[in-house]
Amino acid sequence: MSLINNGITSVRAFSLPCGIWPDGGCADMPQVVLVKWKSVLKDVLYQVYVNGQFAGSTICFGQKEMMVHVPPSFTSAARIEVFAVQPENVDIDFSSELDNPFNGGRLKIRLSRSQDLPVGATAFICFDNGTGQIDYEKPVGETVINIWPSWQDKSGFGMSRFGFSDFGYDSSAAVGFGKGCFGKDGFGIDADMIEWISPILQTGVYKFAAVIFDNKGNKSSATETGPITVIPEAQPAKKIEILSYDKESNELVLNVT
């Protein structure tokens, strides 16, 4: 992993006021926060990630603060992380290397859409709802995944046999060098990926499965995932109060609701 998190402490985010009232109150600048941190590391630069996405990088060794954009939300908190990187890697997006990428309590499942699947095929995603037993009678959510909504989506020029298949329906002339999903299919038959995102899930361990039907009602065998842990992001604090402050020990006690 190219991201370094050891030695970085006291990561804090401050809203930026775009106006201050006579009583000391302020109107926050929407979508922008100032992120500050401390670090004992030398000769490194820093990257900031918001909700698992690359948000920006520092430009000099002494810089330990940065303004970043955050998504506006009254129901979920923004996750802000700071990492150190070697100077030659400062412009590289390492979001795929994060151990716990932000998912907002949702799960993303990728399906390989092979040319072998027929036009009109649909996929259903089922899960166990945390019980350990997958319910194949009730798909997750209301959305059905259309694998090939129309024959025009498939590759080919009708070259398999005269009158046998239509333009865009034959796979014998499919463009494919393993570019969509390298090594998944043979030369000339490429595979791409479909992404499915679940509804918001509660904290728990889930198992999912994908089942494919053709337009005649034939059903494939299920492809199941292993156990997947889902932890939604923390809810933002509605109110923060100072309960006490010990000047001698420099200890501040807050009440967060």
Side-chain angles (χ1 to χ4, degrees), residues 13-59:
F14 304 90
S15 61
L16 300 177
C18 58
I20 300 178
W21 313 123
D23 61 359
C26 67
D28 293 336
M29 184 180 299
Q31 301 184 3
V32 178
V33 298
L34 174 64
V35 180
K36 293 186 175 184
W37 61 92
K38 296 180 180 179
S39 174
V40 298
L41 303 174
K42 305 295 183 181
D43 299 330
V44 295
L45 297 176
Y46 299 90
Q47 292 183 335
V48 177
Y49 290 80
V50 177
N51 292 346
Q53 301 297 316
F54 178 58
S57 58
T58 60
I59 59 175

Side-chain angles (χ1 to χ4, degrees), residues 14 166 223 236:
F14 304 90
D166 208 337
T223 301

Side-chain angles (χ1 to χ4, degrees), residues 6-169:
N6 294 328
I8 301 174
T9 59
S10 301
V11 177
R12 296 161 295 166
F14 304 90
S15 61
L16 300 177
C18 58
I20 300 178
W21 313 123
D23 61 359
C26 67
D28 293 336
M29 184 180 299
Q31 301 184 3
V32 178
V33 298
L34 174 64
V35 180
K36 293 186 175 184
W37 61 92
K38 296 180 180 179
S39 174
V40 298
L41 303 174
K42 305 295 183 181
D43 299 330
V44 295
L45 297 176
Y46 299 90
Q47 292 183 335
V48 177
Y49 290 80
V50 177
N51 292 346
Q53 301 297 316
F54 178 58
S57 58
T58 60
I59 59 175
C60 63
F61 294 145
Q63 181 182 349
K64 295 182 177 64
E65 61 181 24
M66 185 191 309
M67 289 190 297
V68 299
H69 289 268
V70 296
S73 175
F74 294 104
T75 60
S76 61
R79 176 182 172 186
I80 299 176
E81 299 170 287
V82 179
F83 297 96
V85 294
Q86 296 301 322
E88 62 271 18
N89 297 328
V90 69
D91 293 324
I92 300 177
D93 183 352
F94 293 107
S95 57
S96 62
E97 296 190 11
L98 296 181
D99 293 333
N100 297 300
F102 177 85
N103 57 31
R106 300 178 186 270
L107 186 77
K108 180 186 293 183
I109 293 180
R110 292 185 175 93
L111 305 174
S112 174
R113 184 171 72 166
S114 170
Q115 294 283 339
D116 295 334
L117 296 175
V119 172
T122 55
F124 292 83
I125 305 296
C126 307
F127 80 141
D128 64 350
N129 200 20
T131 64
Q133 186 67 35
I134 296 177
D135 183 2
Y136 288 99
E137 301 300 323
K138 185 178 180 181
V140 183
E142 302 295 331
T143 303
V144 175
I145 303 173
N146 293 310
I147 305 295
W148 296 109
S150 63
W151 57 263
Q152 290 93 340
D153 294 333
K154 290 176 73 76
S155 300
F157 297 93
M159 296 177 64
S160 59
R161 203 169 48 177
F162 181 77
F164 181 75
S165 53
D166 208 337
F167 177 84
Y169 192 75

Side-chain angles (χ1 to χ4, degrees), residues 200-220:
I200 297 177
L201 303 171
Q202 300 299 317
T203 300
V205 180
Y206 300 89
K207 289 179 63 178
F208 291 79
V211 181
I212 296 176
F213 293 83
D214 65 13
N215 54 9
K216 297 181 180 179
N218 298 313
K219 177 181 176 182
S220 72

